[in-house]
Structures are given as structure tokens and as C-alpha cells.
Amino acid sequence: MESDIEQIVIRDNPAASRYETRIGDEVAVLEYEFDGAKQIALIHTEVPSALEGRGIAGKIVRFALDDARARGLEVIPVCPYVVSYLKRHPDDIEVVAPNARHRVTSPKA
């Protein structure tokens, strides 16, 4: 199964409002809400327990951020995992909607 994880394919499933990847019989997802215009809210990440700890959630978030950037969308990070990911990857701040950047930046000490 480890080789399956190296070769995961993530896709946008707009009918289900989620990014998803299937590994064996398991499906990991990042659910979203798209406003139909310029913003996409990333609202819930779920990775089956059998697949946890293998970096799959991070790969799905990376895919979602890259997809939003390519489509000219602004991201609204709602999911705590997405917020955490963005805090660890500050170079991605430009894809976050200006009115939502406070969620991923820490106040200066």
C-alpha cells in the first residue's frame, strides 16, 4: 500500500463539492464550498484512519491550493487542518482571500 500512496491521484469532484483521492478501498477528501465566482472555502478534510500519518491530507491541500491558484480563486480556510497547513507554508498566503488571512497569520509578538 505504501507504493499506492506515492502514486496517489487527486481529482476535483465538483458534483460532490470535494477534492478526493482513492487508495485501495479508502477515500480521503477535502470538502469545499464554491461561491461560483471567485472564492472557494476549504471546509473539511477527512482521511480514513487506515491512511492517517502518511501525508495524504497535505497532498490534497496542496492540490486544492494549486487548483485555486490556477483558476484565479481566493481560498477561505475554514478547516483546521487547512489553517494549520497554511501556517506551515506561508508562501501560499497570496491564494488566501485578503479578508481571511488573519486566520493563518499570527500577530507579531
Side-chain angles (χ1 to χ4, degrees):
M1 174 135 19
E2 195 64 38
S3 62
D4 291 344
I5 292 169
E6 295 299 320
Q7 304 298 323
I8 68 170
V9 175
I10 301 164
R11 70 182 191 101
D12 182 8
N13 181 347
S17 297
R18 68 187 197 180
Y19 294 99
E20 61 189 22
T21 186
R22 180 173 299 278
I23 300 171
D25 293 332
E26 306 285 353
V27 179
V29 301
L30 172 53
E31 297 172 353
Y32 63 78
E33 292 178 3
F34 178 49
D35 71 358
K38 69 172 198 164
Q39 292 188 331
I40 187 167
L42 303 179
I43 57 173
H44 178 69
T45 305
E46 188 167 333
V47 175
S49 58
L51 301 175
E52 288 178 353
R54 299 179 184 185
I56 295 167
K59 289 180 181 184
I60 295 173
V61 172
R62 165 63 31 221
F63 183 91
L65 295 175
D66 290 345
D67 184 56
R69 186 178 290 109
R71 294 168 55 193
L73 301 176
E74 295 178 338
V75 169
I76 307 292
V78 177
C79 170
Y81 182 83
V82 174
V83 170
S84 174
Y85 183 95
L86 285 163
K87 286 180 178 181
R88 292 188 316 271
H89 297 89
D91 291 344
D92 287 310
I93 193 73
E94 88 287 344
V95 77
V96 177
N99 64 344
R101 290 181 182 172
H102 68 279
R103 297 179 185 193
V104 298
T105 57
S106 301
K108 301 282 186 228

